[in-house]
Tab-separated table of all heavy atoms in Angstrom:
chain	number	residue	atom	x	y	z
A	67	LEU	N	20.376	64.051	-11.598
A	67	LEU	CA	21.589	63.640	-12.314
A	67	LEU	C	22.445	62.786	-11.392
A	67	LEU	O	22.766	63.197	-10.275
A	67	LEU	CB	22.363	64.896	-12.746
A	67	LEU	CG	23.716	64.690	-13.427
A	67	LEU	CD1	23.585	63.870	-14.701
A	67	LEU	CD2	24.338	66.060	-13.762
A	146	LYS	N	16.908	61.400	-13.551
A	146	LYS	CA	16.425	61.517	-14.938
A	146	LYS	C	17.560	61.233	-15.914
A	146	LYS	O	17.333	60.781	-17.036
A	146	LYS	CB	15.869	62.921	-15.174
A	146	LYS	CG	14.595	63.211	-14.371
A	146	LYS	CD	14.057	64.604	-14.706
A	146	LYS	CE	12.607	64.762	-14.306
A	146	LYS	NZ	12.400	64.762	-12.857
A	150	THR	N	27.734	57.710	-16.883
A	150	THR	CA	28.708	56.711	-16.455
A	150	THR	C	30.102	57.220	-16.810
A	150	THR	O	30.320	57.765	-17.898
A	150	THR	CB	28.446	55.348	-17.133
A	150	THR	OG1	28.425	55.508	-18.549
A	150	THR	CG2	27.126	54.761	-16.671
A	154	PHE	N	34.005	50.605	-17.017
A	154	PHE	CA	33.311	49.635	-16.160
A	154	PHE	C	31.858	50.031	-15.909
A	154	PHE	O	30.967	49.187	-15.992
A	154	PHE	CB	34.074	49.448	-14.842
A	154	PHE	CG	35.355	48.700	-15.035
A	154	PHE	CD1	36.553	49.369	-15.196
A	154	PHE	CD2	35.357	47.313	-15.119
A	154	PHE	CE1	37.739	48.685	-15.416
A	154	PHE	CE2	36.532	46.616	-15.340
A	154	PHE	CZ	37.733	47.303	-15.490
A	165	GLY	N	34.157	48.948	-25.898
A	165	GLY	CA	35.029	49.909	-25.215
A	165	GLY	C	34.337	51.254	-25.086
A	165	GLY	O	33.357	51.530	-25.789
A	204	ASP	N	30.274	65.295	-23.650
A	204	ASP	CA	29.315	64.371	-23.032
A	204	ASP	C	28.544	65.060	-21.899
A	204	ASP	O	27.358	64.774	-21.688
A	204	ASP	CB	30.029	63.123	-22.517
A	204	ASP	CG	30.618	62.296	-23.662
A	204	ASP	OD1	30.059	62.334	-24.776
A	204	ASP	OD2	31.650	61.633	-23.443
A	220	ALA	N	18.890	71.726	-15.415
A	220	ALA	CA	19.319	72.211	-16.732
A	220	ALA	C	19.360	73.731	-16.776
A	220	ALA	O	19.954	74.313	-17.677
A	220	ALA	CB	18.383	71.690	-17.815
Side-chain angles (χ1 to χ4, degrees):
L67 176 59
K146 293 183 161 68
T150 55
F154 289 96
D204 294 331

